[in-house]
Amino acid sequence: MKTRLGDWNATATHHTPAEDAQGIFTGTVLAAVGVSILAHLGFLTGSTAGLALIIAYALDWNVGPVFFLLNLPFYLLAVLRLGWAFTIKTFIGVGLLSLLTWLQPRLFQFGEIEPLTGAIVAGLMIGFGLLAMFRHRSSLGGAGILALYLQDRFGWRAGLTQLVIDLLVLALAFTVVSPRAVFYSIVGAVVLNLFLAINHRNDRYVAR
């Protein structure tokens, strides 16, 4: 079924809509848990999620709606360079992640979490979530869209591209959190992006 919205056929290299749905849902749930752990500890991450946390901390807003609004400008790049199918799936993923992080305090609460453990676990959770999204030809917006485009266009590793962007975003973290929190935030970002750099390669996984 090839339409103006893109190629949605189920073949050896294409997922079915049902497979995309479960991949997007699973990825956003995992990422939402990771982001919620970071927010609980007062840590940050990179990309638009990191910017959303910085704004949320500074203005005492809920991170979910801020994250959704920050991603709106990136959809133009997604439509122009990656197609409507990718853009629609990414929009759904971003919307679902925003909803889940907004609802998280009402759904479950965290107790005491050791900081280094929390940073590592959160990085892995978000990394697994992004990997699921990437493998179903979608993302969680922001730098993920740019990283996927650069990987497709120039062969640059998506994880390493995101790591550079994330470190730049985390440099802003000093304006809202302590140096200790920035350190743990960097640990989480490195874990997240190294996980992606190792596990997300087009020559190892071709299904879209």
Side-chain angles (χ1 to χ4, degrees):
M1 181 176 64
K2 194 168 185 178
T3 70
R4 289 181 300 171
L5 298 182
D7 190 350
W8 293 73
N9 282 318
T11 69
T13 57
H14 286 83
H15 295 291
T16 66
E19 290 168 341
D20 281 339
Q22 73 82 27
I24 292 169
F25 178 76
T26 301
T28 52
V29 169
L30 290 173
V33 173
V35 170
S36 297
I37 291 173
L38 292 176
H40 173 73
L41 291 169
F43 300 162
L44 296 160
T45 187
S47 190
T48 46
L51 286 175
L53 284 169
I54 290 172
I55 294 172
Y57 292 155
L59 301 177
D60 195 26
W61 291 353
N62 187 286
V63 67
V66 177
F67 175 71
F68 182 81
L69 293 173
L70 284 177
N71 275 286
L72 293 179
F74 289 93
Y75 294 127
L76 179 60
L77 174 64
V79 170
L80 295 177
R81 299 297 184 181
L82 298 169
W84 276 104
F86 173 90
T87 305
I88 291 171
K89 288 185 285 186
T90 296
F91 184 83
I92 292 171
V94 169
L96 183 57
L97 180 61
S98 300
L99 177 64
L100 290 174
T101 52
W102 178 64
L103 290 175
Q104 177 265 317
R106 300 166 176 80
L107 298 176
F108 59 91
Q109 301 284 332
F110 295 105
E112 183 177 348
I113 302 176
E114 194 277 323
L116 182 60
T117 301
I120 293 173
V121 171
L124 288 174
M125 294 289 284
I126 299 172
F128 269 109
L130 285 171
L131 182 64
M133 301 291 288
F134 288 173
R135 289 189 169 180
H136 287 268
R137 200 58 183 167
S138 62
S139 79
L140 289 174
I145 295 174
L146 180 61
L148 279 181
Y149 167 69
L150 293 175
Q151 177 165 288
D152 287 351
R153 181 69 177 82
F154 301 108
W156 299 354
R157 294 281 186 85
L160 295 180
T161 299
Q162 286 212 157
L163 178 58
V164 173
I165 296 171
D166 289 355
L167 292 177
L168 292 175
V169 171
L170 288 171
L172 297 173
F174 287 100
T175 63
V176 293
V177 297
S178 68
R180 174 179 174 274
V182 173
F183 168 76
Y184 286 121
S185 299
I186 291 173
V187 170
V190 170
V191 169
L192 187 166
N193 288 291
L194 287 181
F195 174 84
L196 286 178
I198 293 170
N199 290 283
H200 183 63
R201 289 176 50 177
N202 284 345
D203 58 338
R204 288 182 178 172
Y205 190 88
V206 297
R208 294 171 181 255

